[in-house]
Amino acid sequence: MVKLRLKRCGRKQRAIYRIVAIDVRSRREGRDLRKVGFYDPIKNQTYSNVPAILYFLEKGAQPTGTVHDISKKAEIFKELRLITRTLK
């Protein structure tokens, strides 16, 4: 199963997180399938590759709690609903 989760980057006391699509069995710093965004909690900045995130969500990827909250603020789930409504 694939999950969308955070991968820690940056230096000591200055963490930056990448949002990655990764296999569930991999560890946090393990090899990811694809980088789909980043999150800087210090500056409170977020960048999301929305088409890539929507692709993985449509394929059944599950976001972790934190990634779900970040995506909710970025209104990615609204776009997912719009796409699924237009396909029906």
Side-chain angles (χ1 to χ4, degrees):
M1 183 199 305
V2 176
K3 280 203 173 218
L4 295 174
R5 65 184 186 198
L6 298 176
K7 185 175 183 179
R8 191 179 196 278
C9 300
R11 59 179 192 237
K12 203 176 358 175
Q13 302 294 320
R14 186 89 178 131
I16 294 175
Y17 297 93
R18 285 190 182 144
I19 302 170
V20 296
I22 195 166
D23 188 38
V24 175
R25 296 167 290 189
S26 297
R27 54 195 176 98
R28 183 185 70 180
E29 305 302 325
R31 186 171 174 205
D32 51 76
L33 300 173
R34 186 166 180 192
K35 297 174 184 87
V36 294
F38 79 88
Y39 171 62
D40 186 354
I42 297 169
K43 295 181 181 177
N44 203 15
Q45 290 180 333
T46 305
Y47 169 75
S48 301
N49 184 352
V50 178
I53 291 174
L54 292 176
Y55 169 79
F56 281 108
L57 289 174
E58 287 172 355
K59 296 294 181 187
Q62 297 294 314
T64 60
T66 308
V67 174
H68 183 269
D69 293 342
I70 292 169
S71 301
K72 200 173 186 181
K73 286 181 185 176
E75 299 181 350
I76 292 174
F77 294 114
K78 287 183 181 178
E79 294 182 32
L80 182 64
R81 282 191 215 121
L82 289 174
I83 290 172
T84 56
R85 285 183 185 168
T86 57
L87 293 177
K88 289 181 181 180

Short mmCIF file of all heavy atoms in Angstrom, two decimals, residues 41-75:
data_model
loop_
_atom_site.label_atom_id
_atom_site.label_comp_id
_atom_site.label_asym_id
_atom_site.label_seq_id
_atom_site.Cartn_x
_atom_site.Cartn_y
_atom_site.Cartn_z
N PRO A 41 7.47 24.06 8.52
CA PRO A 41 6.67 24.46 9.68
C PRO A 41 7.15 25.76 10.33
O PRO A 41 6.38 26.43 11.01
CB PRO A 41 6.81 23.28 10.64
CG PRO A 41 8.08 22.63 10.24
CD PRO A 41 8.23 22.86 8.78
N ILE A 42 8.39 26.14 10.11
CA ILE A 42 8.92 27.35 10.73
C ILE A 42 8.38 28.59 10.01
O ILE A 42 7.89 29.52 10.64
CB ILE A 42 10.46 27.33 10.73
CG1 ILE A 42 10.94 26.16 11.61
CG2 ILE A 42 11.03 28.65 11.22
CD1 ILE A 42 12.40 25.87 11.50
N LYS A 43 8.43 28.59 8.69
CA LYS A 43 7.89 29.71 7.91
C LYS A 43 6.42 29.51 7.57
O LYS A 43 5.78 30.38 7.01
CB LYS A 43 8.67 29.86 6.60
CG LYS A 43 10.11 30.25 6.80
CD LYS A 43 10.80 30.40 5.47
CE LYS A 43 12.26 30.77 5.64
NZ LYS A 43 12.94 30.85 4.35
N ASN A 44 5.89 28.32 7.88
CA ASN A 44 4.50 27.95 7.61
C ASN A 44 4.20 28.05 6.11
O ASN A 44 3.17 28.58 5.70
CB ASN A 44 3.53 28.79 8.43
CG ASN A 44 2.21 28.09 8.59
OD1 ASN A 44 2.09 26.90 8.34
ND2 ASN A 44 1.20 28.83 9.02
N GLN A 45 5.12 27.54 5.29
CA GLN A 45 4.95 27.53 3.85
C GLN A 45 4.69 26.11 3.37
O GLN A 45 5.23 25.15 3.92
CB GLN A 45 6.21 28.03 3.14
CG GLN A 45 6.48 29.49 3.30
CD GLN A 45 7.75 29.89 2.56
OE1 GLN A 45 8.64 29.07 2.37
NE2 GLN A 45 7.82 31.14 2.16
N THR A 46 3.88 26.01 2.35
CA THR A 46 3.58 24.70 1.77
C THR A 46 3.60 24.82 0.26
O THR A 46 3.08 25.79 -0.30
CB THR A 46 2.19 24.23 2.21
OG1 THR A 46 2.13 24.23 3.62
CG2 THR A 46 1.90 22.83 1.71
N TYR A 47 4.21 23.85 -0.39
CA TYR A 47 4.13 23.73 -1.84
C TYR A 47 3.64 22.32 -2.14
O TYR A 47 4.16 21.35 -1.61
CB TYR A 47 5.48 23.95 -2.52
CG TYR A 47 5.45 23.57 -3.97
CD1 TYR A 47 4.83 24.38 -4.90
CD2 TYR A 47 5.98 22.37 -4.40
CE1 TYR A 47 4.76 24.02 -6.23
CE2 TYR A 47 5.92 21.99 -5.73
CZ TYR A 47 5.31 22.83 -6.64
OH TYR A 47 5.23 22.45 -7.95
N SER A 48 2.63 22.23 -2.99
CA SER A 48 2.08 20.92 -3.34
C SER A 48 1.99 20.79 -4.84
O SER A 48 1.50 21.70 -5.52
CB SER A 48 0.69 20.76 -2.74
OG SER A 48 0.73 20.88 -1.35
N ASN A 49 2.43 19.67 -5.35
CA ASN A 49 2.25 19.33 -6.76
C ASN A 49 0.87 18.67 -6.85
O ASN A 49 0.74 17.46 -6.69
CB ASN A 49 3.36 18.40 -7.22
CG ASN A 49 3.28 18.08 -8.68
OD1 ASN A 49 2.33 18.43 -9.36
ND2 ASN A 49 4.30 17.41 -9.18
N VAL A 50 -0.15 19.47 -7.06
CA VAL A 50 -1.53 19.01 -6.96
C VAL A 50 -1.84 17.87 -7.93
O VAL A 50 -2.45 16.88 -7.51
CB VAL A 50 -2.51 20.20 -7.15
CG1 VAL A 50 -3.95 19.73 -7.11
CG2 VAL A 50 -2.27 21.23 -6.07
N PRO A 51 -1.45 17.93 -9.20
CA PRO A 51 -1.76 16.79 -10.08
C PRO A 51 -1.15 15.47 -9.60
O PRO A 51 -1.78 14.42 -9.69
CB PRO A 51 -1.17 17.20 -11.43
CG PRO A 51 -1.10 18.68 -11.39
CD PRO A 51 -0.86 19.04 -9.96
N ALA A 52 0.06 15.53 -9.05
CA ALA A 52 0.70 14.31 -8.56
C ALA A 52 -0.02 13.78 -7.33
O ALA A 52 -0.23 12.57 -7.19
CB ALA A 52 2.17 14.57 -8.24
N ILE A 53 -0.43 14.66 -6.43
CA ILE A 53 -1.15 14.23 -5.23
C ILE A 53 -2.49 13.63 -5.62
O ILE A 53 -2.90 12.57 -5.11
CB ILE A 53 -1.34 15.41 -4.25
CG1 ILE A 53 0.02 15.80 -3.66
CG2 ILE A 53 -2.30 15.05 -3.13
CD1 ILE A 53 -0.02 17.03 -2.80
N LEU A 54 -3.20 14.28 -6.54
CA LEU A 54 -4.49 13.74 -6.99
C LEU A 54 -4.33 12.38 -7.67
O LEU A 54 -5.17 11.49 -7.50
CB LEU A 54 -5.17 14.73 -7.93
CG LEU A 54 -5.63 16.03 -7.31
CD1 LEU A 54 -6.19 16.96 -8.37
CD2 LEU A 54 -6.65 15.79 -6.22
N TYR A 55 -3.25 12.21 -8.42
CA TYR A 55 -2.99 10.93 -9.07
C TYR A 55 -2.86 9.82 -8.03
O TYR A 55 -3.49 8.76 -8.16
CB TYR A 55 -1.71 11.02 -9.92
CG TYR A 55 -1.23 9.70 -10.42
CD1 TYR A 55 -1.83 9.10 -11.52
CD2 TYR A 55 -0.18 9.03 -9.80
CE1 TYR A 55 -1.40 7.87 -11.99
CE2 TYR A 55 0.27 7.81 -10.26
CZ TYR A 55 -0.35 7.23 -11.35
OH TYR A 55 0.08 6.01 -11.80
N PHE A 56 -2.07 10.06 -6.99
CA PHE A 56 -1.87 9.03 -5.98
C PHE A 56 -3.13 8.78 -5.15
O PHE A 56 -3.42 7.66 -4.78
CB PHE A 56 -0.68 9.37 -5.07
CG PHE A 56 0.64 9.08 -5.70
CD1 PHE A 56 1.46 10.11 -6.14
CD2 PHE A 56 1.07 7.78 -5.88
CE1 PHE A 56 2.68 9.85 -6.73
CE2 PHE A 56 2.29 7.50 -6.47
CZ PHE A 56 3.10 8.53 -6.90
N LEU A 57 -3.90 9.84 -4.88
CA LEU A 57 -5.15 9.66 -4.14
C LEU A 57 -6.16 8.85 -4.95
O LEU A 57 -6.89 8.02 -4.40
CB LEU A 57 -5.73 11.01 -3.75
CG LEU A 57 -4.98 11.77 -2.66
CD1 LEU A 57 -5.58 13.15 -2.47
CD2 LEU A 57 -4.98 11.00 -1.36
N GLU A 58 -6.21 9.08 -6.26
CA GLU A 58 -7.11 8.31 -7.12
C GLU A 58 -6.71 6.85 -7.19
O GLU A 58 -7.55 5.97 -7.34
CB GLU A 58 -7.14 8.92 -8.52
CG GLU A 58 -7.88 10.23 -8.59
CD GLU A 58 -7.75 10.91 -9.95
OE1 GLU A 58 -6.98 10.40 -10.80
OE2 GLU A 58 -8.39 11.95 -10.14
N LYS A 59 -5.42 6.58 -7.09
CA LYS A 59 -4.93 5.21 -7.13
C LYS A 59 -5.08 4.49 -5.79
O LYS A 59 -4.76 3.31 -5.69
CB LYS A 59 -3.45 5.17 -7.55
CG LYS A 59 -3.21 5.67 -8.94
CD LYS A 59 -3.83 4.76 -9.97
CE LYS A 59 -3.56 5.27 -11.37
NZ LYS A 59 -4.27 4.53 -12.38
N GLY A 60 -5.54 5.21 -4.75
CA GLY A 60 -5.79 4.56 -3.47
C GLY A 60 -4.79 4.85 -2.37
O GLY A 60 -4.82 4.20 -1.33
N ALA A 61 -3.91 5.81 -2.58
CA ALA A 61 -2.94 6.15 -1.54
C ALA A 61 -3.65 6.80 -0.36
O ALA A 61 -4.60 7.56 -0.54
CB ALA A 61 -1.89 7.11 -2.09
N GLN A 62 -3.19 6.50 0.85
CA GLN A 62 -3.78 7.06 2.07
C GLN A 62 -2.83 8.11 2.65
O GLN A 62 -1.68 7.81 2.91
CB GLN A 62 -3.98 5.95 3.11
CG GLN A 62 -4.96 4.88 2.68
CD GLN A 62 -6.37 5.44 2.56
OE1 GLN A 62 -6.82 6.16 3.43
NE2 GLN A 62 -7.03 5.09 1.48
N PRO A 63 -3.32 9.34 2.86
CA PRO A 63 -2.46 10.34 3.50
C PRO A 63 -2.41 10.12 5.01
O PRO A 63 -3.38 9.67 5.62
CB PRO A 63 -3.14 11.66 3.16
CG PRO A 63 -4.57 11.31 2.95
CD PRO A 63 -4.58 9.91 2.41
N THR A 64 -1.27 10.44 5.62
CA THR A 64 -1.19 10.39 7.07
C THR A 64 -1.97 11.58 7.63
O THR A 64 -2.43 12.45 6.89
CB THR A 64 0.28 10.46 7.54
OG1 THR A 64 0.84 11.69 7.07
CG2 THR A 64 1.07 9.28 7.03
N GLY A 65 -2.12 11.62 8.94
CA GLY A 65 -2.90 12.67 9.56
C GLY A 65 -2.39 14.07 9.26
O GLY A 65 -3.15 14.97 8.92
N THR A 66 -1.08 14.24 9.37
CA THR A 66 -0.49 15.56 9.13
C THR A 66 -0.61 15.96 7.67
O THR A 66 -0.96 17.11 7.36
CB THR A 66 0.99 15.56 9.55
OG1 THR A 66 1.08 15.07 10.89
CG2 THR A 66 1.57 16.95 9.49
N VAL A 67 -0.35 15.04 6.77
CA VAL A 67 -0.46 15.34 5.34
C VAL A 67 -1.93 15.61 4.99
O VAL A 67 -2.22 16.48 4.16
CB VAL A 67 0.13 14.19 4.49
CG1 VAL A 67 -0.12 14.42 3.02
CG2 VAL A 67 1.61 14.06 4.75
N HIS A 68 -2.84 14.91 5.63
CA HIS A 68 -4.26 15.16 5.41
C HIS A 68 -4.62 16.59 5.81
O HIS A 68 -5.33 17.29 5.08
CB HIS A 68 -5.10 14.16 6.21
CG HIS A 68 -6.56 14.29 5.98
ND1 HIS A 68 -7.35 15.10 6.75
CD2 HIS A 68 -7.38 13.73 5.06
CE1 HIS A 68 -8.60 15.04 6.33
NE2 HIS A 68 -8.63 14.21 5.30
N ASP A 69 -4.13 17.04 6.97
CA ASP A 69 -4.41 18.40 7.43
C ASP A 69 -3.80 19.45 6.50
O ASP A 69 -4.43 20.46 6.20
CB ASP A 69 -3.88 18.60 8.84
CG ASP A 69 -4.63 17.76 9.87
OD1 ASP A 69 -5.76 17.30 9.56
OD2 ASP A 69 -4.10 17.56 10.97
N ILE A 70 -2.58 19.20 6.03
CA ILE A 70 -1.92 20.13 5.11
C ILE A 70 -2.70 20.19 3.80
O ILE A 70 -2.92 21.28 3.25
CB ILE A 70 -0.46 19.70 4.86
CG1 ILE A 70 0.36 19.88 6.14
CG2 ILE A 70 0.16 20.48 3.72
CD1 ILE A 70 1.72 19.23 6.07
N SER A 71 -3.13 19.05 3.30
CA SER A 71 -3.89 19.01 2.05
C SER A 71 -5.26 19.67 2.21
O SER A 71 -5.76 20.28 1.27
CB SER A 71 -4.07 17.56 1.60
OG SER A 71 -2.82 16.96 1.41
N LYS A 72 -5.83 19.53 3.37
CA LYS A 72 -7.13 20.14 3.63
C LYS A 72 -7.02 21.67 3.60
O LYS A 72 -7.88 22.34 3.03
CB LYS A 72 -7.62 19.68 5.01
CG LYS A 72 -9.08 19.83 5.24
CD LYS A 72 -9.42 19.17 6.56
CE LYS A 72 -10.90 19.16 6.80
NZ LYS A 72 -11.23 18.54 8.08
N LYS A 73 -5.95 22.21 4.18
CA LYS A 73 -5.73 23.65 4.14
C LYS A 73 -5.49 24.15 2.72
O LYS A 73 -5.87 25.25 2.36
CB LYS A 73 -4.54 24.04 5.02
CG LYS A 73 -4.84 23.97 6.48
CD LYS A 73 -3.64 24.37 7.30
CE LYS A 73 -3.90 24.19 8.78
NZ LYS A 73 -2.73 24.47 9.60
N ALA A 74 -4.85 23.32 1.90
CA ALA A 74 -4.57 23.68 0.51
C ALA A 74 -5.76 23.40 -0.40
O ALA A 74 -5.68 23.63 -1.60
CB ALA A 74 -3.34 22.93 0.01
N GLU A 75 -6.84 22.86 0.15
CA GLU A 75 -8.09 22.57 -0.57
C GLU A 75 -7.89 21.58 -1.72
O GLU A 75 -8.50 21.70 -2.77
CB GLU A 75 -8.73 23.86 -1.06
CG GLU A 75 -9.10 24.81 0.06
CD GLU A 75 -9.74 26.09 -0.41
OE1 GLU A 75 -9.73 26.34 -1.63
OE2 GLU A 75 -10.25 26.82 0.44
#
